[in-house]
Amino acid sequence: MSQIQTWTLVFIVASFSVYLYIAWRSRVKETAGFYVAGQGIPTIANGAAVAADWMSAASFISMAGLIAFLGSDGTIYLMGWTGGYVLLALLIAPYLRKWGKFTVPEFVGDRYSETVRTIAAVAAIIISFTYVVGQMRGGGIVFSRFLKLDVTGGVILAAVIIGLYAVLGGMKGITWTQVAQYTVLITAYLIPAVAVAQQMTGIPIPQVSFGQILSELDAISVEMGLNQYTEAFAARPQIDVFLVTMALMIGTAGLPHVIVRFYTTKSVRGARYSAFWALFFIALLYTTAPAVGAFTKLNLLQDVNGISANALPSWIENWAATGLVTVNDGAQTINTVSNSPTSGADLIVNNDILVLASPEIAGLPAPIVGLVAAGGMAAAMSTAAGLLLVISSSFSHDLYFRRVKRDSTDKQRLLAGRIAMGLAVLIAIYAGINPPAFVAQVVAFAFGLAASTFFPAIVLGIFWKRCNATGAAAGMVSGLVFTATYMIYTLPVFGTAANPHILDISPEGIGTIGAIVNFVVTIVVSKMTAPPPDEIVEMVENIRYPAARREVTAGNVADAT
């Protein structure tokens, strides 16, 4: 066993032992503990848990790699996900928390109707499942490289571990586990970033120092057949950059596994403070990712430029064993590099390995390589667990309890939820082994689906009293069907061939158009049908305004009349 494998094993076994111990100590028997942790999580801890939930394998493993190859166009992920979080924290979360229910389908069920609740539950399951596929793939990549497994074995191992502690602990166990996972992942991300920044520029602040290498990176990128790192709209059309950013932003604001986190604090005030702490914790990684992408790409290109195919650095051989790095059969010397298997370049490097391989490429010591592997697994596991919980709660609470067996006991609903988790894990294993795109892109598809279904229904449900159940149901179905159909049309999924993008709109960006379709259908159908009952209008007032303010307003109106 190599030094890198030994240290990886040490960090992963140690961190997993902590996670499983926490999940075991936090195991619950009641639905309130399972779904919202008994609403007793302190604000800072909940902020760390939100950050861990937020920063999935897409953020930790894949985002910097995408930025490295997309260049400045890769900032769509930074702007979309971060902007979406602010939108969620300020526009939606406090109102939903005030409603005091367990799930997003419960909100739309109370606001609209049981039919809309069922549609929302199905949408939540589809969105969360799409998202969890990316996490399984990310976890599988970590295991495949550092434990010398193939990607299939890595995905299966990651899925078994993730499913085990999610089924054991529910939201309470997941929350405290995510606090530990955030600590591991942010430490694992920042330490190599600081070390590489010091090594390459003499300044150990990556967010500041990476600007010094950009001109050198631009020059060598062009020399090796890539776009300039700093050139705008070189990798994507301008319209697609806008649509993807918007889809990620409004999709973030509608993601069920993050929204449910704001139910776990003791009060609405606690939910707001959680949002602040989560933004701070997220910013630590998101402001570092562009630097990690730039430093790693420059190191990579300098390592292989003009090198004989028989004399490449050892990290290439290590990663070639996973099938995620390949040297073209006809290449004698490496003169071109790409992340696309169909490009014909001398060296093909998968985006998803760059962060994990960064310490090896920079020649950092084996313990740091092992720490980064543990961080990657922490990121994949923290988000996957939250997603599995949404699948579980949507199935057991909104479908099984509401539609199948109204007299089911707590024990029966917990069992139904855990069975749903198990089935989701099994299906996600297959999809994780055969993903339609890179990890961050798969995750972006989930955001597009959330943008086209939940965002309009939630926003109109809070801010437009005239919105009714018929309009919301029609809008959600229209948005979901439109967006999913375009994704299937343009991606190689379910055995279908990928078709060209229409009007330069990628499947990651179609969620914005789906959301517009949803808004238009909801508003038109609501206007054409009967307004919601008076008690629903009163419920909307209760969400948006404090009771005291409404009483004063009513008193003033009475005095005036």
Side-chain angles (χ1 to χ4, degrees), residues 113-118 397-406:
S113 70
E114 286 298 306
T115 301
V116 182
R117 182 200 302 268
T118 302
H397 199 69
D398 301 306
L399 295 180
Y400 177 73
F401 173 63
R402 296 279 176 181
R403 291 293 183 180
V404 179
K405 194 172 182 180
R406 293 290 302 210

Side-chain angles (χ1 to χ4, degrees), residues 460-477:
L460 291 176
I462 294 172
F463 296 102
W464 191 39
K465 290 181 285 188
R466 182 64 176 77
C467 187
N468 64 21
T470 309
M476 289 180 71
V477 171

Side-chain angles (χ1 to χ4, degrees), residues 520-533:
V520 170
V521 170
T522 302
I523 292 171
V524 169
V525 173
S526 293
K527 284 285 190 183
M528 293 175 65
T529 51

Side-chain angles (χ1 to χ4, degrees), residues 370-393:
L371 180 62
V372 171
M377 278 308 304
M381 292 173 66
S382 60
T383 304
L387 294 166
L388 289 173
L389 196 69
V390 169
I391 292 173
S392 168
S393 61

Side-chain angles (χ1 to χ4, degrees), residues 430 434-437 445 484-500 507:
Y430 173 79
N434 304 283
F445 303 149
T485 301
Y486 186 81
M487 288 179 179
I488 294 170
Y489 175 78
T490 51
L491 291 167
V493 292
F494 308 124
T496 61
N499 291 291

Side-chain angles (χ1 to χ4, degrees), residues 28-338:
V28 295
K29 296 179 180 177
E30 306 81 23
T31 50
F34 193 79
Y35 293 126
V36 291
Q39 295 190 320
I41 303 298
T43 54
I44 296 179
N46 200 48
V50 171
D53 224 353
W54 194 268
M55 293 186 292
S56 64
S59 295
F60 188 99
I61 295 174
S62 191
M63 184 170 66
L66 276 173
I67 293 172
F69 280 99
L70 289 174
S72 61
D73 292 352
T75 53
I76 53 178
Y77 296 97
L78 296 172
M79 292 188 294
W81 282 332
T82 311
Y85 177 77
V86 175
L87 192 64
L88 169 64
L90 298 180
L91 185 67
I92 293 177
Y95 296 110
L96 294 186
R97 174 62 178 79
K98 191 176 177 183
W99 199 270
K101 297 293 184 179
F102 286 176
T103 65
V104 176
E106 270 201 314
F107 165 73
V108 296
D110 285 1
R111 170 63 178 84
Y112 299 115
S113 70
E114 286 298 306
T115 301
V116 182
R117 182 200 302 268
T118 302
I119 295 170
V122 172
I125 291 172
I126 294 173
I127 293 164
S128 300
F129 177 76
T130 306
Y131 204 155
V132 87
V133 166
Q135 313 314 309
M136 297 298 181
R137 177 72 177 177
I141 290 172
V142 175
F143 280 132
S144 65
R145 162 63 187 93
F146 297 109
L147 299 184
K148 293 293 182 186
L149 300 171
D150 58 17
V151 171
T152 300
V155 169
I156 292 172
L157 181 57
V160 168
I161 294 172
I162 289 168
L164 180 64
Y165 83 81
V167 169
L168 272 179
M171 179 60 89
K172 188 175 179 183
I174 287 171
T175 298
W176 289 110
T177 304
Q178 284 174 333
V179 174
Q181 286 165 338
Y182 176 78
T183 306
V184 172
L185 76 87
I186 199 65
T187 304
Y189 205 86
L190 293 181
I191 285 180
V194 169
V196 172
Q198 172 67 31
Q199 185 185 70
M200 296 184 70
T201 66
I203 302 173
I205 306 173
Q207 296 91 338
V208 174
S209 59
F210 85 104
Q212 297 183 12
I213 65 162
L214 293 183
S215 57
E216 188 179 2
L217 179 57
D218 281 346
I220 196 170
S221 294
V222 173
E223 182 183 342
M224 301 198 72
L226 297 167
N227 296 320
Q228 288 188 12
Y229 186 83
T230 56
E231 184 181 357
F233 311 121
R236 287 176 179 270
Q238 186 171 2
I239 181 66
D240 195 48
V241 168
F242 170 76
L243 291 176
V244 175
T245 303
M246 183 60 72
L248 294 176
M249 189 176 292
I250 62 177
T252 299
L255 274 182
H257 78 290
V258 176
I259 288 175
V260 75
R261 279 242 145 265
F262 292 95
Y263 291 115
T264 60
T265 56
K266 295 176 182 175
S267 62
V268 175
R269 183 185 176 89
R272 292 183 189 275
Y273 277 104
S274 288
F276 166 78
W277 281 109
L279 189 59
F280 171 75
F281 292 137
I282 290 167
L284 289 178
L285 188 145
Y286 271 50
T287 55
T288 311
V292 171
F295 284 134
T296 307
K297 186 178 180 183
L298 181 59
N299 267 332
L300 186 159
L301 297 181
Q302 288 177 335
D303 259 9
V304 302
N305 187 19
I307 301 296
S308 166
N310 297 321
L312 291 170
S314 60
W315 65 266
I316 289 186
E317 184 182 351
N318 294 336
W319 281 97
T322 67
L324 299 173
V325 173
T326 54
V327 179
N328 194 317
D329 288 339
Q332 300 297 318
T333 302
I334 305 302
N335 293 313
T336 54
V337 174
S338 175

